[in-house]
Amino acid sequence: IQACDPDLLILLGDNIYSGKDGDYSESGWQADFDEKYTNQLNDPFFTELTKRVPFLAIWNDHDFGHNNTLGGIPGSKAQEFSDEALEAFDKHIWAKIAAQPSIAASLDRPVSEGNYYSVIFNDIKFILLDVRTFRMAEGDTRNEYSLLGKIQTEWFLRNLDHNDASFTVVCSGSTLQNRKGKAFETVE
């Protein structure tokens, strides 16, 4: 990657592979997150790369829990656990993103549930979406849940409408589909 001399590095999730064999009842999730993020950020290659190249990151299922973890199921263990996942992401990844001078000035991260934000970098607006916190299970027909959820969808549409950048890049750790796609990958 360094040999290509990139202007920006974008991590689209699965930055770490967290999990205690998928058992949410087991203690130690926060320690697991902390250990894996620390290992990732202390990797000599990654450390050198991110010293030279600004980076953005969003999470996906393995940053959030085990494979195909869904966050949008009220009362689910995954939903209860999402606060720990976000706390670890913020502590280890978000803190580094927000500390980068070339990134910090234009960051727009709503103070709400979820982990999504936008930034303008070199006249390109990057919109990084959270496709885990609000995701519903396949076959779930409740209208209030979709891939992005209502609040993030409204924020996303505002960011598309209010945009002075020359280009816009939408970043997601999952496929974005219309209503003809699978419900759990649907953006309304």
Side-chain angles (χ1 to χ4, degrees):
I1 295 173
Q2 289 185 42
C4 295
D5 195 27
D7 294 322
L8 181 68
L9 173 67
I10 304 173
L11 306 175
L12 295 176
D14 293 350
N15 304 301
I16 60 169
Y17 274 68
S18 63
K20 299 279 188 184
D21 300 322
D23 181 3
Y24 285 109
S25 64
E26 187 176 336
S27 63
W29 279 91
Q30 192 68 51
D32 183 61
F33 283 138
D34 287 340
E35 176 185 353
K36 288 179 178 167
Y37 277 124
T38 298
N39 290 342
Q40 170 69 13
L41 295 173
N42 289 332
D43 175 84
F45 173 79
F46 188 80
T47 300
E48 183 59 31
L49 179 63
T50 56
K51 280 182 186 175
R52 293 189 24 214
V53 179
F55 82 100
L56 304 174
I58 200 64
W59 65 8
N60 203 356
D61 54 348
H62 293 282
D63 305 282
F64 194 90
H66 62 80
N67 194 39
N68 294 323
T69 298
L70 303 171
I73 311 302
S76 71
K77 291 293 183 182
Q79 188 181 48
E80 294 170 18
F81 175 66
S82 66
D83 289 342
E84 290 181 15
L86 183 57
E87 181 181 325
F89 185 92
D90 284 353
K91 175 181 171 183
H92 297 283
I93 301 293
W94 182 254
K96 286 186 72 76
I97 292 169
Q100 299 171 104
S102 61
I103 301 294
S106 67
L107 276 175
D108 172 19
R109 187 181 195 205
V111 180
S112 66
E113 185 178 13
N115 185 15
Y116 52 95
Y117 62 98
S118 67
V119 64
I120 297 174
F121 181 82
N122 290 349
D123 199 31
I124 302 169
K125 185 168 196 170
F126 293 90
I127 300 173
L128 291 93
L129 299 174
D130 178 348
V131 295
R132 286 294 155 184
T133 301
F134 307 99
R135 182 178 286 222
M136 63 186 213
E138 187 171 9
D140 191 333
T141 58
R142 293 175 288 178
N143 291 330
E144 67 268 22
Y145 297 98
S146 70
L147 183 62
L148 301 179
K150 182 179 180 184
I151 294 170
Q152 183 180 195
T153 298
E154 291 170 356
W155 171 88
F156 176 47
L157 294 174
R158 279 193 312 274
N159 265 269
L160 288 174
D161 286 343
H162 299 93
N163 189 351
D164 295 327
S166 295
F167 298 97
T168 300
V169 176
V170 177
C171 304
S172 167
S174 294
T175 304
L176 301 178
Q177 298 183 16
N178 62 21
R179 290 188 155 271
K180 294 178 184 175
K182 295 179 180 179
F184 66 95
E185 292 180 340
T186 297
V187 178
E188 298 180 17

